[in-house]
Amino acid sequence: MYAIIREGDGKFYTSMVFGYYKSSDATDYKNRFWIVLNKSKTALIKQYVLQQNTKYLIPMVLITDADESGWNKISENEESVDFLPTGELLSMIDSNTVPSELTKKCIEMDSAYKFESIRTINTADDIRDLEWVSGGFHDAFIAEKKERENSLYLLFDGTWGCKIEVWFEGDITYDTSSRDPEKFDPYWFGSTVKIDNGFIYLIDDEDVSVSDINLSYCWFKARSMKYRVIPD
């Protein structure tokens, strides 16, 4: 896994993600942690999933690559990459006793990862990663739309912890009338991205098939789709 770590006011850094821990109390959203490297890339730290000291649910970690291959999950509340001592890792971080060879391996993994600020949607994994980082576009709305010959630019605001730029190119068709803010609720509640017959579709609802598209949906269709995350 890989992520953008928000620092607030648009500041951020990126890091490989090495673990996830949460309270046994399912309603305790604030005591959940991702394990990442610090900004100087010298040590593992516990990073709160959500911003503290606010009533709002604002993510501090924006997962840009959700691949959990090679992770060890010892319970619903504790998991980490398989070479780390999952059950003891939190206490080791708290006491600054993570073995140096493990820290070095984490730093090397992070250094080897190529973070792409602009991602192109080509595969199911690309769709998965967009779903994670955008939160399914829940609470998002289209703040800006610019159309040029054979291309379309969108800026989504309202996504949790970030804005998202999206570019469509090639044989573009779309319908945004159902989200016209002068007539209807502009906020999205979910999204679906589909690759179908050489086209990519972005639709403003969950689990929608291409054949389901009608006038009640806000949707986009193009030959290619790219996006970029802008942390708040």
PDB file of all heavy atoms in Angstrom, residues 3-31:
ATOM      1  N   ALA A   3       0.523   5.852   0.154  1.00  0.00           N
ATOM      2  CA  ALA A   3      -0.433   6.890   0.539  1.00  0.00           C
ATOM      3  C   ALA A   3       0.177   8.279   0.507  1.00  0.00           C
ATOM      4  O   ALA A   3       1.396   8.464   0.576  1.00  0.00           O
ATOM      5  CB  ALA A   3      -0.965   6.614   1.943  1.00  0.00           C
ATOM      6  N   ILE A   4      -0.723   9.249   0.402  1.00  0.00           N
ATOM      7  CA  ILE A   4      -0.417  10.649   0.656  1.00  0.00           C
ATOM      8  C   ILE A   4      -0.730  10.919   2.125  1.00  0.00           C
ATOM      9  O   ILE A   4      -1.827  10.601   2.593  1.00  0.00           O
ATOM     10  CB  ILE A   4      -1.269  11.571  -0.237  1.00  0.00           C
ATOM     11  CG1 ILE A   4      -0.869  11.414  -1.704  1.00  0.00           C
ATOM     12  CG2 ILE A   4      -1.148  13.021   0.202  1.00  0.00           C
ATOM     13  CD1 ILE A   4      -1.820  12.088  -2.670  1.00  0.00           C
ATOM     14  N   ILE A   5       0.221  11.491   2.850  1.00  0.00           N
ATOM     15  CA  ILE A   5       0.029  11.827   4.257  1.00  0.00           C
ATOM     16  C   ILE A   5      -0.232  13.325   4.350  1.00  0.00           C
ATOM     17  O   ILE A   5       0.649  14.146   4.076  1.00  0.00           O
ATOM     18  CB  ILE A   5       1.265  11.466   5.113  1.00  0.00           C
ATOM     19  CG1 ILE A   5       1.800  10.073   4.734  1.00  0.00           C
ATOM     20  CG2 ILE A   5       0.922  11.569   6.589  1.00  0.00           C
ATOM     21  CD1 ILE A   5       0.806   8.951   4.901  1.00  0.00           C
ATOM     22  N   ARG A   6      -1.446  13.681   4.721  1.00  0.00           N
ATOM     23  CA  ARG A   6      -1.823  15.092   4.805  1.00  0.00           C
ATOM     24  C   ARG A   6      -1.209  15.756   6.040  1.00  0.00           C
ATOM     25  O   ARG A   6      -1.204  15.179   7.124  1.00  0.00           O
ATOM     26  CB  ARG A   6      -3.339  15.243   4.878  1.00  0.00           C
ATOM     27  CG  ARG A   6      -4.090  14.860   3.626  1.00  0.00           C
ATOM     28  CD  ARG A   6      -5.586  15.098   3.789  1.00  0.00           C
ATOM     29  NE  ARG A   6      -5.876  16.468   4.181  1.00  0.00           N
ATOM     30  CZ  ARG A   6      -6.319  16.834   5.395  1.00  0.00           C
ATOM     31  NH1 ARG A   6      -6.546  15.922   6.323  1.00  0.00           N
ATOM     32  NH2 ARG A   6      -6.547  18.115   5.665  1.00  0.00           N
ATOM     33  N   GLU A   7      -0.712  16.970   5.854  1.00  0.00           N
ATOM     34  CA  GLU A   7      -0.217  17.764   6.973  1.00  0.00           C
ATOM     35  C   GLU A   7      -1.083  18.994   7.209  1.00  0.00           C
ATOM     36  O   GLU A   7      -0.861  19.734   8.162  1.00  0.00           O
ATOM     37  CB  GLU A   7       1.226  18.199   6.699  1.00  0.00           C
ATOM     38  CG  GLU A   7       2.186  17.032   6.551  1.00  0.00           C
ATOM     39  CD  GLU A   7       3.588  17.501   6.245  1.00  0.00           C
ATOM     40  OE1 GLU A   7       3.816  18.029   5.136  1.00  0.00           O
ATOM     41  OE2 GLU A   7       4.467  17.338   7.119  1.00  0.00           O
ATOM     42  N   GLY A   8      -2.068  19.209   6.339  1.00  0.00           N
ATOM     43  CA  GLY A   8      -2.944  20.360   6.461  1.00  0.00           C
ATOM     44  C   GLY A   8      -2.495  21.524   5.606  1.00  0.00           C
ATOM     45  O   GLY A   8      -1.314  21.638   5.237  1.00  0.00           O
ATOM     46  N   ASP A   9      -3.450  22.396   5.250  1.00  0.00           N
ATOM     47  CA  ASP A   9      -3.168  23.578   4.431  1.00  0.00           C
ATOM     48  C   ASP A   9      -2.489  23.229   3.112  1.00  0.00           C
ATOM     49  O   ASP A   9      -1.635  23.982   2.612  1.00  0.00           O
ATOM     50  CB  ASP A   9      -2.303  24.584   5.206  1.00  0.00           C
ATOM     51  CG  ASP A   9      -3.006  25.116   6.447  1.00  0.00           C
ATOM     52  OD1 ASP A   9      -4.241  25.299   6.384  1.00  0.00           O
ATOM     53  OD2 ASP A   9      -2.329  25.339   7.464  1.00  0.00           O
ATOM     54  N   GLY A  10      -2.847  22.084   2.560  1.00  0.00           N
ATOM     55  CA  GLY A  10      -2.295  21.672   1.278  1.00  0.00           C
ATOM     56  C   GLY A  10      -0.918  21.041   1.337  1.00  0.00           C
ATOM     57  O   GLY A  10      -0.382  20.616   0.314  1.00  0.00           O
ATOM     58  N   LYS A  11      -0.332  20.957   2.521  1.00  0.00           N
ATOM     59  CA  LYS A  11       0.996  20.354   2.666  1.00  0.00           C
ATOM     60  C   LYS A  11       0.849  18.844   2.866  1.00  0.00           C
ATOM     61  O   LYS A  11      -0.081  18.375   3.518  1.00  0.00           O
ATOM     62  CB  LYS A  11       1.735  20.962   3.856  1.00  0.00           C
ATOM     63  CG  LYS A  11       2.014  22.459   3.696  1.00  0.00           C
ATOM     64  CD  LYS A  11       2.702  23.000   4.934  1.00  0.00           C
ATOM     65  CE  LYS A  11       2.960  24.495   4.818  1.00  0.00           C
ATOM     66  NZ  LYS A  11       3.607  25.040   6.034  1.00  0.00           N
ATOM     67  N   PHE A  12       1.817  18.095   2.321  1.00  0.00           N
ATOM     68  CA  PHE A  12       1.738  16.636   2.423  1.00  0.00           C
ATOM     69  C   PHE A  12       3.089  16.019   2.077  1.00  0.00           C
ATOM     70  O   PHE A  12       3.987  16.682   1.546  1.00  0.00           O
ATOM     71  CB  PHE A  12       0.672  16.094   1.467  1.00  0.00           C
ATOM     72  CG  PHE A  12       1.001  16.260   0.002  1.00  0.00           C
ATOM     73  CD1 PHE A  12       1.634  15.254  -0.712  1.00  0.00           C
ATOM     74  CD2 PHE A  12       0.680  17.441  -0.662  1.00  0.00           C
ATOM     75  CE1 PHE A  12       1.944  15.410  -2.062  1.00  0.00           C
ATOM     76  CE2 PHE A  12       0.982  17.610  -2.010  1.00  0.00           C
ATOM     77  CZ  PHE A  12       1.613  16.590  -2.699  1.00  0.00           C
ATOM     78  N   TYR A  13       3.221  14.736   2.396  1.00  0.00           N
ATOM     79  CA  TYR A  13       4.317  13.933   1.865  1.00  0.00           C
ATOM     80  C   TYR A  13       3.741  12.557   1.538  1.00  0.00           C
ATOM     81  O   TYR A  13       2.559  12.297   1.814  1.00  0.00           O
ATOM     82  CB  TYR A  13       5.494  13.851   2.839  1.00  0.00           C
ATOM     83  CG  TYR A  13       5.267  13.044   4.102  1.00  0.00           C
ATOM     84  CD1 TYR A  13       5.670  11.717   4.187  1.00  0.00           C
ATOM     85  CD2 TYR A  13       4.670  13.620   5.229  1.00  0.00           C
ATOM     86  CE1 TYR A  13       5.478  10.978   5.359  1.00  0.00           C
ATOM     87  CE2 TYR A  13       4.484  12.904   6.388  1.00  0.00           C
ATOM     88  CZ  TYR A  13       4.892  11.567   6.449  1.00  0.00           C
ATOM     89  OH  TYR A  13       4.705  10.839   7.591  1.00  0.00           O
ATOM     90  N   THR A  14       4.514  11.707   0.910  1.00  0.00           N
ATOM     91  CA  THR A  14       4.031  10.376   0.553  1.00  0.00           C
ATOM     92  C   THR A  14       4.853   9.308   1.261  1.00  0.00           C
ATOM     93  O   THR A  14       6.019   9.528   1.611  1.00  0.00           O
ATOM     94  CB  THR A  14       4.088  10.140  -0.966  1.00  0.00           C
ATOM     95  OG1 THR A  14       5.449  10.191  -1.403  1.00  0.00           O
ATOM     96  CG2 THR A  14       3.273  11.188  -1.712  1.00  0.00           C
ATOM     97  N   SER A  15       4.240   8.152   1.462  1.00  0.00           N
ATOM     98  CA  SER A  15       4.930   7.061   2.156  1.00  0.00           C
ATOM     99  C   SER A  15       4.294   5.722   1.809  1.00  0.00           C
ATOM    100  O   SER A  15       3.079   5.643   1.570  1.00  0.00           O
ATOM    101  CB  SER A  15       4.861   7.260   3.673  1.00  0.00           C
ATOM    102  OG  SER A  15       5.372   6.123   4.372  1.00  0.00           O
ATOM    103  N   MET A  16       5.117   4.698   1.804  1.00  0.00           N
ATOM    104  CA  MET A  16       4.596   3.342   1.822  1.00  0.00           C
ATOM    105  C   MET A  16       3.808   3.161   3.111  1.00  0.00           C
ATOM    106  O   MET A  16       4.126   3.761   4.142  1.00  0.00           O
ATOM    107  CB  MET A  16       5.757   2.339   1.760  1.00  0.00           C
ATOM    108  CG  MET A  16       5.356   0.885   1.630  1.00  0.00           C
ATOM    109  SD  MET A  16       4.767   0.461  -0.010  1.00  0.00           S
ATOM    110  CE  MET A  16       6.295   0.492  -0.951  1.00  0.00           C
ATOM    111  N   VAL A  17       2.769   2.337   3.053  1.00  0.00           N
ATOM    112  CA  VAL A  17       1.970   2.028   4.242  1.00  0.00           C
ATOM    113  C   VAL A  17       2.316   0.611   4.695  1.00  0.00           C
ATOM    114  O   VAL A  17       2.313  -0.319   3.891  1.00  0.00           O
ATOM    115  CB  VAL A  17       0.465   2.138   3.943  1.00  0.00           C
ATOM    116  CG1 VAL A  17      -0.355   1.811   5.178  1.00  0.00           C
ATOM    117  CG2 VAL A  17       0.131   3.528   3.435  1.00  0.00           C
ATOM    118  N   PHE A  18       2.592   0.446   6.004  1.00  0.00           N
ATOM    119  CA  PHE A  18       3.109  -0.821   6.499  1.00  0.00           C
ATOM    120  C   PHE A  18       2.169  -1.529   7.465  1.00  0.00           C
ATOM    121  O   PHE A  18       2.441  -2.673   7.852  1.00  0.00           O
ATOM    122  CB  PHE A  18       4.458  -0.586   7.186  1.00  0.00           C
ATOM    123  CG  PHE A  18       5.491  -0.006   6.267  1.00  0.00           C
ATOM    124  CD1 PHE A  18       5.729   1.359   6.240  1.00  0.00           C
ATOM    125  CD2 PHE A  18       6.197  -0.816   5.402  1.00  0.00           C
ATOM    126  CE1 PHE A  18       6.663   1.910   5.378  1.00  0.00           C
ATOM    127  CE2 PHE A  18       7.144  -0.279   4.525  1.00  0.00           C
ATOM    128  CZ  PHE A  18       7.379   1.090   4.515  1.00  0.00           C
ATOM    129  N   GLY A  19       1.091  -0.880   7.881  1.00  0.00           N
ATOM    130  CA  GLY A  19       0.175  -1.546   8.803  1.00  0.00           C
ATOM    131  C   GLY A  19      -1.065  -0.725   9.063  1.00  0.00           C
ATOM    132  O   GLY A  19      -1.133   0.469   8.719  1.00  0.00           O
ATOM    133  N   TYR A  20      -2.050  -1.397   9.662  1.00  0.00           N
ATOM    134  CA  TYR A  20      -3.311  -0.741  10.016  1.00  0.00           C
ATOM    135  C   TYR A  20      -3.800  -1.336  11.328  1.00  0.00           C
ATOM    136  O   TYR A  20      -3.837  -2.563  11.489  1.00  0.00           O
ATOM    137  CB  TYR A  20      -4.350  -0.955   8.926  1.00  0.00           C
ATOM    138  CG  TYR A  20      -5.724  -0.414   9.261  1.00  0.00           C
ATOM    139  CD1 TYR A  20      -5.945   0.956   9.347  1.00  0.00           C
ATOM    140  CD2 TYR A  20      -6.786  -1.273   9.506  1.00  0.00           C
ATOM    141  CE1 TYR A  20      -7.201   1.461   9.664  1.00  0.00           C
ATOM    142  CE2 TYR A  20      -8.048  -0.782   9.815  1.00  0.00           C
ATOM    143  CZ  TYR A  20      -8.251   0.579   9.894  1.00  0.00           C
ATOM    144  OH  TYR A  20      -9.488   1.073  10.213  1.00  0.00           O
ATOM    145  N   TYR A  21      -4.186  -0.452  12.265  1.00  0.00           N
ATOM    146  CA  TYR A  21      -4.651  -0.891  13.583  1.00  0.00           C
ATOM    147  C   TYR A  21      -5.871  -0.062  13.983  1.00  0.00           C
ATOM    148  O   TYR A  21      -5.929   1.135  13.716  1.00  0.00           O
ATOM    149  CB  TYR A  21      -3.544  -0.710  14.635  1.00  0.00           C
ATOM    150  CG  TYR A  21      -2.354  -1.603  14.388  1.00  0.00           C
ATOM    151  CD1 TYR A  21      -1.374  -1.242  13.467  1.00  0.00           C
ATOM    152  CD2 TYR A  21      -2.221  -2.816  15.060  1.00  0.00           C
ATOM    153  CE1 TYR A  21      -0.289  -2.064  13.221  1.00  0.00           C
ATOM    154  CE2 TYR A  21      -1.130  -3.640  14.821  1.00  0.00           C
ATOM    155  CZ  TYR A  21      -0.173  -3.262  13.899  1.00  0.00           C
ATOM    156  OH  TYR A  21       0.902  -4.086  13.653  1.00  0.00           O
ATOM    157  N   LYS A  22      -6.829  -0.731  14.610  1.00  0.00           N
ATOM    158  CA  LYS A  22      -8.012  -0.013  15.075  1.00  0.00           C
ATOM    159  C   LYS A  22      -8.477  -0.577  16.404  1.00  0.00           C
ATOM    160  O   LYS A  22      -8.131  -1.701  16.791  1.00  0.00           O
ATOM    161  CB  LYS A  22      -9.141  -0.095  14.050  1.00  0.00           C
ATOM    162  CG  LYS A  22      -9.689  -1.493  13.809  1.00  0.00           C
ATOM    163  CD  LYS A  22     -10.811  -1.453  12.776  1.00  0.00           C
ATOM    164  CE  LYS A  22     -11.391  -2.849  12.543  1.00  0.00           C
ATOM    165  NZ  LYS A  22     -12.487  -2.839  11.536  1.00  0.00           N
ATOM    166  N   SER A  23      -9.276   0.202  17.117  1.00  0.00           N
ATOM    167  CA  SER A  23      -9.833  -0.205  18.391  1.00  0.00           C
ATOM    168  C   SER A  23     -10.814  -1.349  18.189  1.00  0.00           C
ATOM    169  O   SER A  23     -11.443  -1.484  17.140  1.00  0.00           O
ATOM    170  CB  SER A  23     -10.536   0.991  19.048  1.00  0.00           C
ATOM    171  OG  SER A  23     -11.329   0.578  20.127  1.00  0.00           O
ATOM    172  N   SER A  24     -10.953  -2.175  19.214  1.00  0.00           N
ATOM    173  CA  SER A  24     -11.943  -3.253  19.165  1.00  0.00           C
ATOM    174  C   SER A  24     -13.366  -2.710  19.208  1.00  0.00           C
ATOM    175  O   SER A  24     -14.327  -3.416  18.891  1.00  0.00           O
ATOM    176  CB  SER A  24     -11.729  -4.234  20.322  1.00  0.00           C
ATOM    177  OG  SER A  24     -11.783  -3.553  21.565  1.00  0.00           O
ATOM    178  N   ASP A  25     -13.507  -1.452  19.597  1.00  0.00           N
ATOM    179  CA  ASP A  25     -14.803  -0.775  19.584  1.00  0.00           C
ATOM    180  C   ASP A  25     -15.059  -0.245  18.174  1.00  0.00           C
ATOM    181  O   ASP A  25     -14.420   0.698  17.727  1.00  0.00           O
ATOM    182  CB  ASP A  25     -14.800   0.383  20.592  1.00  0.00           C
ATOM    183  CG  ASP A  25     -16.118   1.148  20.615  1.00  0.00           C
ATOM    184  OD1 ASP A  25     -17.024   0.826  19.823  1.00  0.00           O
ATOM    185  OD2 ASP A  25     -16.225   2.093  21.415  1.00  0.00           O
ATOM    186  N   ALA A  26     -15.994  -0.863  17.473  1.00  0.00           N
ATOM    187  CA  ALA A  26     -16.236  -0.521  16.069  1.00  0.00           C
ATOM    188  C   ALA A  26     -16.692   0.916  15.877  1.00  0.00           C
ATOM    189  O   ALA A  26     -16.569   1.475  14.789  1.00  0.00           O
ATOM    190  CB  ALA A  26     -17.264  -1.478  15.476  1.00  0.00           C
ATOM    191  N   THR A  27     -17.213   1.534  16.927  1.00  0.00           N
ATOM    192  CA  THR A  27     -17.691   2.918  16.814  1.00  0.00           C
ATOM    193  C   THR A  27     -16.588   3.939  17.109  1.00  0.00           C
ATOM    194  O   THR A  27     -16.810   5.146  16.960  1.00  0.00           O
ATOM    195  CB  THR A  27     -18.858   3.166  17.786  1.00  0.00           C
ATOM    196  OG1 THR A  27     -18.403   3.054  19.137  1.00  0.00           O
ATOM    197  CG2 THR A  27     -19.977   2.159  17.543  1.00  0.00           C
ATOM    198  N   ASP A  28     -15.427   3.466  17.525  1.00  0.00           N
ATOM    199  CA  ASP A  28     -14.322   4.358  17.880  1.00  0.00           C
ATOM    200  C   ASP A  28     -13.500   4.672  16.634  1.00  0.00           C
ATOM    201  O   ASP A  28     -12.453   4.086  16.375  1.00  0.00           O
ATOM    202  CB  ASP A  28     -13.447   3.689  18.945  1.00  0.00           C
ATOM    203  CG  ASP A  28     -12.355   4.610  19.471  1.00  0.00           C
ATOM    204  OD1 ASP A  28     -12.317   5.787  19.053  1.00  0.00           O
ATOM    205  OD2 ASP A  28     -11.536   4.147  20.281  1.00  0.00           O
ATOM    206  N   TYR A  29     -13.979   5.631  15.853  1.00  0.00           N
ATOM    207  CA  TYR A  29     -13.320   5.959  14.597  1.00  0.00           C
ATOM    208  C   TYR A  29     -12.018   6.718  14.797  1.00  0.00           C
ATOM    209  O   TYR A  29     -11.136   6.681  13.934  1.00  0.00           O
ATOM    210  CB  TYR A  29     -14.255   6.800  13.724  1.00  0.00           C
ATOM    211  CG  TYR A  29     -15.453   6.028  13.222  1.00  0.00           C
ATOM    212  CD1 TYR A  29     -16.704   6.169  13.824  1.00  0.00           C
ATOM    213  CD2 TYR A  29     -15.341   5.149  12.150  1.00  0.00           C
ATOM    214  CE1 TYR A  29     -17.804   5.456  13.366  1.00  0.00           C
ATOM    215  CE2 TYR A  29     -16.441   4.435  11.688  1.00  0.00           C
ATOM    216  CZ  TYR A  29     -17.668   4.602  12.298  1.00  0.00           C
ATOM    217  OH  TYR A  29     -18.753   3.892  11.846  1.00  0.00           O
ATOM    218  N   LYS A  30     -11.876   7.397  15.913  1.00  0.00           N
ATOM    219  CA  LYS A  30     -10.703   8.254  16.093  1.00  0.00           C
ATOM    220  C   LYS A  30      -9.442   7.469  16.449  1.00  0.00           C
ATOM    221  O   LYS A  30      -8.331   7.910  16.149  1.00  0.00           O
ATOM    222  CB  LYS A  30     -10.995   9.317  17.161  1.00  0.00           C
ATOM    223  CG  LYS A  30     -12.024  10.357  16.719  1.00  0.00           C
ATOM    224  CD  LYS A  30     -11.581  11.118  15.474  1.00  0.00           C
ATOM    225  CE  LYS A  30     -12.606  12.127  15.001  1.00  0.00           C
ATOM    226  NZ  LYS A  30     -12.688  13.315  15.829  1.00  0.00           N
ATOM    227  N   ASN A  31      -9.601   6.318  17.112  1.00  0.00           N
ATOM    228  CA  ASN A  31      -8.430   5.528  17.490  1.00  0.00           C
ATOM    229  C   ASN A  31      -8.148   4.435  16.468  1.00  0.00           C
ATOM    230  O   ASN A  31      -8.221   3.241  16.743  1.00  0.00           O
ATOM    231  CB  ASN A  31      -8.608   4.927  18.890  1.00  0.00           C
ATOM    232  CG  ASN A  31      -8.398   5.953  19.974  1.00  0.00           C
ATOM    233  OD1 ASN A  31      -7.369   6.650  19.996  1.00  0.00           O
ATOM    234  ND2 ASN A  31      -9.355   6.093  20.857  1.00  0.00           N
TER     235      ASN A  31
END
